Amino acid sequence: MKGLAIRNHRAFASGALFLAFAIFFFVTALQYPAGTAAKMGPGYFPRLLAIVLAAIGLAVMFGAMKPAADRQVLRAWDLKGLAWITGSVILFGALLFPLGLVGALFVLIMVSSRASHEFTWTGALTNAAVLIVLCLAVFVYGLGLPLPVWPSLLN
């Protein structure tokens, strides 16, 4: 069974994670009626996305077992980086309404940038400026989501 050996452990683990999330969301969506393609129920789209996610996961997993796949091993998790990312998302959620989208995004980007070993203040500030403008354009002005843009003290 030499042809079925896992050559790229990183890709295989990524595909397995995709597959695990797909199974979780598919099972969760089973409690909602699916409906039909013509009259979609609340469970139709989540199930469809779960199937697509599972297909991507399986494709990545099988690609990791091809004889032509690059040999890569799993590295140890960067727990410090994971903590910076997780903390920044929690801060975003906690600060969205008091600071508005601009302030919460700024905090999210600056804190999550600390997870990178290549962190620079200039890069983080540039990234924050571009992403804040992009998020405002897409979510607030493009989609019209009722998000607070500025801190609640300014309203």
Side-chain angles (χ1 to χ4, degrees):
M1 299 262 282
K2 186 177 179 181
L4 291 180
I6 300 172
R7 294 178 55 85
N8 188 336
H9 292 271
R10 290 173 63 191
F12 190 86
S14 297
L17 192 59
F18 272 57
L19 188 59
F21 273 107
I23 291 168
F24 172 78
F25 287 113
F26 188 86
V27 170
T28 302
L30 287 175
Q31 65 184 344
Y32 301 111
T36 64
K39 190 172 180 181
M40 296 179 194
Y44 188 89
F45 195 65
R47 289 182 200 170
L48 184 64
L49 285 180
I51 291 168
V52 170
L53 190 62
I56 291 170
L58 289 171
V60 170
M61 290 171 71
F62 285 123
M65 296 188 318
K66 286 183 180 177
D70 293 337
R71 287 195 178 272
Q72 290 188 4
V73 296
L74 272 176
R75 289 184 266 171
W77 284 31
D78 181 9
L79 295 178
K80 181 181 170 187
L82 184 62
W84 280 112
I85 299 291
T86 304
S88 70
V89 173
I90 291 169
L91 276 173
F92 176 82
L95 296 175
L96 179 60
F97 290 102
L99 293 184
L101 187 63
V102 171
L105 277 173
F106 182 78
V107 171
L108 169 84
I109 294 163
M110 297 307 291
V111 172
S112 64
S113 294
R114 298 285 296 142
S116 173
H117 302 290
E118 301 165 5
F119 172 80
T120 64
W121 286 105
T122 308
L125 290 170
T126 304
N127 191 16
V130 170
L131 289 174
I132 288 170
V133 169
L134 183 66
C135 286
L136 286 173
V138 171
F139 297 111
V140 175
Y141 302 114
L143 295 174
L145 295 179
L147 294 170
V149 175
W150 300 107
S152 58
L153 295 173
L154 300 177
N155 292 333

